[in-house]
């Protein structure tokens, strides 16, 4: 505690520090679990008992370590945390007894784990670790909240359901930028907060968990509502809200991957509301992109003689394929591209869950929402062809292309850019980027947004009266 915890706390929250140390602490007890398994297994097969007891140890000790880090953070006392450790060790005598074996033993240790996590939940609520609707305000040099800033996160009623929206900006006089995440179904708020916060100084940035995604996921959402037309309608309601709220005639739209399809279609239908359109990992002919992505994965696997990757890709066959095959293809291509390296996964995890607006309690809805949305929408979105649907845009267009993107191959983005008619258009290459240029090259991404997009996004204020976003009941 005295050595590792202070160093981790310089970079992580109390909760994240506790989780890191706690998991390692729990796994360290693996040998202890092996030692006691023969005594306490009872009639349960030894390997099954060992697995369940180890998982229980990791769960309970991780929760307890979060509490220890929290206590150390509040008191700075090693004595207090040492006493906590000692009291935990001494208390094990009450459940590590010969009378508690087999299923009863496992029930006892899992009950302890549940109780500890319940206590962590209480502390989390008290300390504000998981406060919905909270995003850190902007403060000036004097420590006071900047007068014309905005920092809010709340549910907004769009398209007949509650959807999660976060708005952040140092000065509401700045242009409004609406960010449309990819997927469909993949919330990217955490990534933009981690890597692209400088945009909040030059834009009023609006993040939106689209219908069925992240905090906007609800198991009661009708599957029949998961259509392109409904998403366009939801987006138009959001645009109208922020236009009235900030008295803007137009907004800038930044669409990533699937969001670039939604964004381009919206901009084509409502040009009077969009000042500039920015596409990152821009969709063109979606079906052609899927074919190129699959062909790349197959060729790369053959070049490397990767039998496992070849087996998986040949099992699903070339596109068109159902949503479940997309997960297989993307995971194989990501591994071939080195994107499944533990360090990269850790970086992504920190971005998603290492910020005040995020919480580990978001994980279930992130996963369920992604699966639900992609499965519901894949048959429609995978056939989109913007070369036919959106051949013309009536506002300036900027397209960002990651040269190493093998999910939306650059060839398809460039083909759409070349075919597109617009008052002005510019293609920007990100040579060191894959699918997420805003993560892979954030400095260049942010600088380009500020230098190229902001001047185009500036628009005179409208005369409408400012209104608050309609908060859901």
């Amino acid at each position: 505690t005295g050595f590792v915890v202070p160093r981790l706390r310089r970079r992580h929250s109390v909760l994240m520090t506790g989780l890191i140390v706690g998991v390692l602490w729990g796994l360290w007890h693996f040998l202890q679990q092996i030692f006691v398994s023969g005594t306490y297994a009872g009639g349960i097969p030894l390997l099954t008992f060992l697995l369940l007891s180890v998982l229980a140890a990791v769960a309970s000790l991780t929760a307890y370590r979060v509490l220890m880090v929290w206590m150390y953070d509040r008191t700075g006392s090693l004595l207090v945390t040492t006493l906590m450790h000692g009291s935990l060790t001494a208390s094990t005598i009450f459940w590590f007894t010969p009378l508690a074996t087999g299923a009863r033993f496992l029930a006892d240790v899992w009950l302890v784990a549940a109780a500890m996590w319940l206590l962590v939940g209480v502390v989390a609520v008290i300390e504000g670790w998981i406060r919905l609707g909270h995003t850190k305000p902007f403060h000036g040099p004097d420590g006071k909240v900047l007068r014309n800033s905005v920092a809010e996160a709340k549910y907004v009623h769009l398209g007949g359901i509650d959807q999660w929206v976060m708005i952040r900006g140092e000065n509401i006089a700045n242009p409004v930028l609406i960010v449309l995440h990819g997927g469909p179904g993949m919330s990217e708020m955490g990534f933009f907060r981690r890597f692209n916060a400088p945009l909040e100084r030059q834009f009023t940035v609006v993040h939106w968990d689209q219908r069925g995604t992240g905090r906007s996921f609800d198991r009661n959402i009708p599957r029949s509502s998961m259509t392109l037309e409904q998403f366009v309608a939801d987006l138009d309601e959001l645009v109208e809200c922020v236009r009235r709220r900030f008295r803007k005639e137009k907004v800038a739209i930044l669409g990533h991957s699937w969001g670039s399809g939604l964004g381009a279609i919206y901009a084509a239908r409502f040009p009077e509301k969009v000042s500039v359109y920015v596409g990152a990992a821009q969709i063109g002919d979606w079906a052609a992109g899927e074919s190129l992505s699959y062909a790349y994965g197959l060729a790369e696997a053959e070049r490397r003689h990767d039998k496992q990757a070849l087996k998986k890709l040949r099992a699903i066959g070339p596109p068109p394929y159902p949503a479940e095959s997309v997960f297989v293809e993307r995971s194989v291509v990501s591994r071939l591209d080195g994107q499944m390296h533990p360090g990269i996964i850790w970086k992504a995890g920190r971005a998603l869950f290492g910020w005040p607006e995020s919480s580990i309690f978001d994980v279930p809805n992130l996963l369920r929402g992604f699966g639900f949305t992609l499965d519901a929408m894949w048959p429609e979105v995978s056939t989109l062809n913007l070369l036919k649907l959106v051949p013309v845009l009536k506002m300036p267009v900027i397209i960002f292309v990651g040269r190493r993107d093998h999910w939306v191959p650059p060839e398809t983005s460039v083909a759409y850019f070349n075919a597109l008619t617009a008052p002005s258009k510019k293609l920007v290459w990100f040579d060191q980027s894959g699918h997420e240029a805003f993560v892979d090259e954030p400095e260049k991404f942010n600088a380009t947004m500020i230098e190229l997009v902001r001047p185009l996004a500036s628009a005179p204020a409208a005369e409408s009266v400012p209104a608050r976003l309609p908060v859901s009941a």
Side-chain angles (χ1 to χ4, degrees), residues 357-372:
E357 301 86 6
S358 64
S359 164
I360 59 171
F361 297 98
D362 292 332
V363 173
N365 277 359
L366 284 172
L367 296 177
R368 289 186 296 177
F370 186 36
F372 166 72

Side-chain angles (χ1 to χ4, degrees), residues 7-8 134 195 288 317:
R7 287 161 174 78
L8 287 175
H134 173 74
F195 298 104

